Amino acid sequence: MRTLKFLLRKEFKQIFRDKGLLPLIFIMPMIQLLVMPLAANFDVKNVNVAIVDHDHSTYTQQLVNKIGASGYFRIANYSDSYKEALHLVEHEKADIILEIPQNFERNLIRENNQKVFLAADAINGVKGSIGSAYLTTVLTDFNSDVRLKWVQPQRLGAVSTIGIDYSNWFNPLMDYHKFMVPAILALLVTMVGGFVAALNIVREKEIGTIEQINVTPIKKWEFILGKMIPFWLIGIFDFTLGLLIARFVYGIIPVGSIATLYLFVSVYMIALLGFGLLVSTYSSNQLQAMFVAFFFMMIFILMSGLFSPVENMPQWAKVISNLTPVTHFVEVMRMIVLKGSTFANIKKQFFIEIIFAVVLNSWAIWNYRKTS
Amino acid sequence: MSAIKIEHITKTYDKGNVTALNDISLEVAKGELFGLIGPDGAGKSSLFRILTTLLIADKGTATVDGFDVVKDYKQIRGCVGYMPGKFSLYQDLTVEENLTFFASLFGTSISENYDLIKDIYVQIEPFKTRRAGKLSGGMKQKLALCCALIHKPTVLFLDEPTTGVDAVSRKEFWEMLKRLKEQQITIMVSTPYMDEANLCERIALIQNGELLSVDTPEKIVASYPQQLYAVKADNMHKILNDVRFYENLQSVYAFGEYLHTTFKNDEAQIESKLTAYLQQKNNSGIEIKKIEPTIEDSFIRLMTEASLIKQH
């Protein structure tokens, strides 16, 4: 135990002297938490619509006004040539073309039926699909307006429409930040914990200090604990920092119990440090460790459900996703912070993280023994 | 009982393709200053790493201070001091912090064993608040030696301690080793510099993982079988080429300002015959004299012999 104390003292001295590491641990998470939630916004706004109007009637005027007033669209062009509109799409000045055929108004009234044409630029898939979905909603809306106007006088009361009211649970205003901030916080803890710990241990190998340590009577578990405890504490510290930023910058107050949150993070950090240790036992220098850790981080980030819901993934991807500790952490973060889940609700994820912690650490220690 | 006993140690790397050590047997007595001399890649570091329990040999056994390097590695780690070839202390800790840290890992303190390191430590003490990474090469060496000595080891392993250190610091370093020897510490030191061999009590010459000779420097020199001649002329490049084609020649190599040569049969008039031959080849300022071989001559002979045997 006495040795451990000396190791920890040495480790903290080194961490606080490392001019490159300090900003990585303390400044980077803050900046990311301040910048990323603002940038990572999936609300689609400012879709540029080019309208090709072959009709020039009152109805088309009303339709165009309605589109323009919806708040999602900007009328990029208004002409009667499809070619001209397509040209705009080619130059990325328009995202969607709405073509209104000739005699739109007349046919709509006479034949109760008329078709319009929508063409969306699918290079930006999100903008294309969400944009045309919005536009379809506007058209449907317009359609029912027209029908109400024309049909009602003839057959009073016969038209029954379904009114829809929304109620957004756990995030009433559908505030995107509330969804992203807890997840990004989870990611930051992951980066600091996984990356920095892996690099730190490999550094001892690279500089050769581990040779000198190995010929002392120090025990393996002491050395490993001496490495893990400081980064565990740093992870918890960064997490606290993140919670404070979430509270004072984004106004997010965890609905659930803070204690449950910390309990989960504590176990999660152990799993993650096991991952870092594992990477370090397989790499011989910092560059290698960096790339290996980076490779896994990419998988963790993209497959953890941070940006795209895990439910949308194909079956095989879901399996991979469930095999990363980050996925469960992101899920639990959102559950506790937004939904106020209790320990009973997150029990499953909690035990999964315990399994991760045990497996990763045992593997790492086993491999560490083998190599030296 | 010998301090270090190595029996038939073999170590290969790369799944047996590269042989680092081939059937090495060696004994070092207690309190001896033993030198392991050999070129880079001879297997010196591998042997050190096996003896300090950092590496496990494929075959053979070794004991340090009576402890087996595999079975009793824990005891060995408590009683040996090891200074790796590469500076391996914490560059971002100060001199004092490094020393305190290693002392505490061994459950001791600087003051407890201050006598042992005093001579060395006083030289770096003025810089004790400086980070180890900011020290000069010689200073780093001294600090590393202090760290290896801080727990009063019975056996000290120094892997190329003088590589990359200036001549003055090297000399100082060897003087320090002699003083440590007086404290009854067994020292095993490796070096690629042959001139340092004379400073050891006994030396082992190692090349390509094999021991060529183990003896005192004096005996190794005395075992030189032939008369050695030093040859010199105004144009050294030309004379080297000419001597190479002399029919009675056995070996020739440049050594300082002379060529050192040996001949197949040591006839009486060899000096005059060679002079005549060289004059005929238009060499001027010819000087030939008999000399006593140095330890380096002995090594060069042993190494060329060993590689000749390997070729045939």
Side-chain angles (χ1 to χ4, degrees):
Chain A
M1 260 356 232
R2 205 172 141 260
T3 316
L4 191 60
K5 198 181 85 193
F6 289 119
L7 278 171
L8 288 178
R9 195 186 288 164
K10 178 218 92 177
E11 210 60 57
F12 275 112
K13 260 184 200 159
Q14 285 189 296
I15 290 169
F16 283 102
R17 277 181 198 173
D18 193 328
K19 295 277 180 298
L21 197 63
L22 278 184
L24 206 67
I25 293 174
F26 298 109
I27 313 289
M28 184 200 76
M30 288 206 284
I31 292 178
Q32 294 217 8
L33 206 54
L34 291 175
V35 172
M36 267 169 64
L38 298 176
N41 193 333
F42 284 165
D43 284 347
V44 173
K45 281 180 187 143
N46 302 330
V47 180
N48 296 313
V49 190
I51 292 172
V52 183
D53 189 355
H54 298 298
D55 193 40
H56 297 287
S57 60
T58 337
Y59 266 25
T60 61
Q61 277 312 313
Q62 279 174 11
L63 179 59
V64 171
N65 285 341
K66 204 173 169 68
I67 292 170
S70 69
Y72 294 104
F73 300 102
R74 271 184 41 217
I75 310 294
N77 189 42
Y78 184 85
S79 68
D80 51 9
S81 151
Y82 183 75
K83 225 175 172 176
E84 193 185 318
L86 194 61
H87 200 69
L88 285 173
V89 171
E90 280 165 0
H91 286 84
E92 290 167 17
K93 292 210 171 75
D95 302 305
I96 294 180
I97 304 172
L98 173 68
E99 191 176 23
I100 302 166
Q102 229 173 345
N103 303 328
F104 174 75
E105 185 177 333
R106 205 183 65 198
N107 290 355
L108 191 62
I109 297 164
R110 271 199 203 149
E111 296 165 25
N112 290 333
N113 197 352
Q114 185 50 279
K115 280 179 176 158
V116 292
F117 177 67
L118 266 185
D121 176 9
I123 284 184
N124 184 341
V126 178
K127 221 173 181 183
S129 62
I130 296 185
S132 43
Y134 284 167
L135 200 54
T136 313
T137 315
V138 175
L139 284 168
T140 317
D141 214 26
F142 177 75
N143 193 11
S144 51
D145 280 355
V146 173
R147 275 172 65 189
L148 281 176
K149 207 191 251 165
W150 281 94
V151 178
Q152 229 166 8
Q154 292 158 10
R155 295 199 283 161
L156 196 67
V159 176
S160 41
T161 49
I162 299 176
I164 300 167
D165 272 327
Y166 297 94
S167 167
N168 301 312
W169 275 87
F170 310 122
N171 189 0
L173 299 173
M174 285 274 269
D175 184 357
Y176 206 74
H177 298 148
K178 286 206 168 175
F179 177 65
M180 285 310 283
V181 170
I184 289 177
L185 181 53
L187 189 72
L188 289 178
V189 173
T190 308
M191 298 236 271
V192 170
F195 252 115
V196 181
L199 287 182
N200 187 281
I201 301 169
V202 175
R203 203 164 78 126
E204 296 249 353
K205 256 194 203 176
E206 196 175 337
I207 304 176
T209 42
I210 208 157
E211 292 271 274
Q212 199 86 63
I213 291 281
N214 278 346
V215 286
T216 67
I218 185 175
K219 290 178 192 71
K220 287 242 155 90
W221 64 266
E222 287 173 328
F223 181 73
I224 291 173
L225 271 186
K227 282 288 170 199
M228 287 178 94
I229 292 174
F231 291 102
W232 186 84
L233 287 173
I234 288 170
I236 301 289
F237 174 84
D238 271 347
F239 184 71
T240 311
L241 200 69
L243 279 185
L244 289 175
I245 291 179
R247 166 70 185 82
F248 292 108
V249 178
Y250 298 101
I252 299 171
I253 305 164
V255 184
S257 139
I258 299 270
T260 318
L261 215 50
Y262 273 94
L263 177 71
F264 195 88
V265 178
S266 306
V267 175
Y268 175 73
M269 275 307 292
I270 297 173
L272 203 65
L273 289 169
F275 166 76
L277 186 64
L278 184 62
V279 170
S280 72
T281 58
Y282 278 104
S283 349
S284 53
N285 57 50
Q286 292 188 74
L287 198 67
Q288 263 180 28
M290 187 81 183
F291 274 106
V292 173
F294 186 72
F295 169 76
F296 281 104
M297 273 315 153
M298 286 299 283
I299 295 182
F300 287 173
I301 293 169
L302 294 175
M303 306 213 60
S304 65
L306 178 66
F307 295 113
S308 45
V310 177
E311 289 76 16
N312 284 2
M313 295 176 188
Q315 196 55 44
W316 59 266
K318 267 187 209 166
V319 173
I320 297 176
S321 177
N322 278 316
L323 285 176
T324 61
V326 189
T327 310
H328 307 285
F329 185 35
V330 168
E331 201 180 332
V332 166
M333 278 298 287
R334 283 174 176 158
M335 279 170 82
I336 296 180
V337 174
L338 299 181
K339 217 165 157 184
S341 300
T342 58
F343 183 74
N345 303 118
I346 60 151
K347 220 162 53 190
K348 190 186 106 202
Q349 285 88 343
F350 185 72
F351 285 114
I352 290 175
E353 294 295 357
I354 288 185
I355 293 170
F356 271 120
V358 171
V359 170
L360 287 170
N361 282 293
S362 319
W363 185 1
I365 291 169
W366 172 76
N367 196 48
Y368 179 65
R369 273 174 194 280
K370 202 187 70 186
T371 48
S372 54
Chain B
M1 192 183 65
S2 37
I4 304 169
K5 192 170 185 179
I6 304 165
E7 282 175 322
H8 307 292
I9 285 280
T10 298
K11 175 73 195 174
T12 58
Y13 292 111
D14 224 2
K15 294 187 182 112
N17 290 327
V18 181
T19 309
L21 294 168
N22 190 9
D23 198 23
I24 300 266
S25 297
L26 192 67
E27 261 185 70
V28 178
K30 261 214 166 84
E32 199 172 14
L33 175 54
F34 190 90
L36 198 59
I37 323 282
D40 292 341
K44 301 187 297 286
S45 294
S46 294
L47 190 59
F48 272 76
R49 288 168 57 84
I50 287 171
L51 293 175
T52 50
T53 74
L54 291 173
L55 199 65
I56 293 176
D58 299 348
K59 269 184 243 142
T61 56
T63 60
V64 175
D65 225 14
F67 298 117
D68 186 272
V69 289
V70 182
K71 278 204 302 274
D72 312 316
Y73 73 92
K74 278 187 185 151
Q75 281 91 329
I76 291 184
R77 287 179 184 184
C79 73
V80 304
Y82 173 48
M83 189 175 146
K86 202 176 133 196
F87 181 72
S88 333
L89 298 176
Y90 291 99
Q91 315 243 8
D92 42 5
L93 294 185
T94 66
V95 169
E96 200 179 18
E97 282 165 349
N98 264 303
L99 203 53
T100 314
F101 176 67
F102 282 99
S104 49
L105 284 192
F106 285 101
T108 178
S109 64
I110 299 182
S111 52
E112 214 169 301
N113 290 320
Y114 189 74
D115 288 348
L116 194 63
I117 58 162
K118 197 179 76 191
D119 288 345
I120 312 160
Y121 191 55
V122 286
Q123 299 177 45
I124 48 172
E125 211 164 12
F127 311 101
K128 68 181 182 185
T129 53
R130 192 181 287 187
R131 304 234 172 127
K134 298 255 158 64
L135 293 175
S136 66
M139 291 285 180
K140 277 183 182 165
Q141 229 68 5
K142 281 169 196 157
L143 174 60
L145 187 60
C146 282
C147 286
L149 279 171
I150 192 66
H151 59 292
K152 209 171 195 323
T154 51
V155 185
L156 189 59
F157 291 97
L158 308 171
D159 193 0
E160 303 204 0
T162 52
T163 301
V165 176
D166 68 82
V168 178
S169 298
R170 266 169 69 186
K171 197 156 165 283
E172 275 177 15
F173 197 83
W174 279 94
E175 273 156 22
M176 283 189 284
L177 292 190
K178 279 190 183 144
R179 279 200 295 275
L180 287 175
K181 201 190 109 55
E182 285 158 17
Q183 315 244 13
Q184 287 306 303
I185 295 175
T186 311
I187 302 172
M188 191 173 189
V189 57
S190 78
T191 175
Y193 304 123
M194 293 180 186
D195 55 322
E196 290 181 346
N198 281 319
L199 304 165
C200 304
E201 285 178 288
R202 277 204 310 146
I203 45 177
L205 180 65
I206 184 170
Q207 185 181 269
N208 295 327
E210 293 185 33
L211 286 183
L212 300 183
S213 166
V214 184
D215 221 325
T216 62
E218 296 77 29
K219 280 191 184 154
I220 288 183
V221 172
S223 70
Y224 201 85
Q226 285 145 309
Q227 179 58 53
L228 189 68
Y229 294 89
V231 182
K232 194 183 165 186
D234 291 341
N235 186 342
M236 290 302 281
H237 180 67
K238 179 169 163 34
I239 196 176
L240 179 60
N241 280 330
D242 289 339
V243 172
R244 274 198 183 133
F245 293 102
Y246 186 59
E247 47 177 357
N248 193 17
L249 182 88
Q250 191 186 40
S251 72
V252 61
Y253 47 85
F255 194 102
E257 52 173 339
Y258 288 93
L259 298 178
H260 282 190
T261 58
T262 56
F263 301 97
K264 281 179 199 148
N265 29 23
D266 274 338
E267 350 170 49
Q269 291 85 27
I270 199 147
E271 284 163 282
S272 52
K273 277 187 181 170
L274 182 62
T275 313
Y277 165 78
L278 289 173
Q279 272 168 350
Q280 186 201 330
K281 295 267 177 191
N282 296 325
N283 285 290
S284 56
I286 300 165
E287 184 193 335
I288 301 176
K289 59 179 182 186
K290 286 183 180 176
I291 51 163
E292 285 303 311
T294 64
I295 191 93
E296 298 194 52
D297 293 306
S298 304
F299 283 154
I300 290 168
R301 185 183 68 86
L302 286 167
M303 282 176 168
T304 26
E305 263 176 23
S307 52
L308 277 177
I309 290 165
K310 213 157 212 171
Q311 276 168 22
H312 294 299

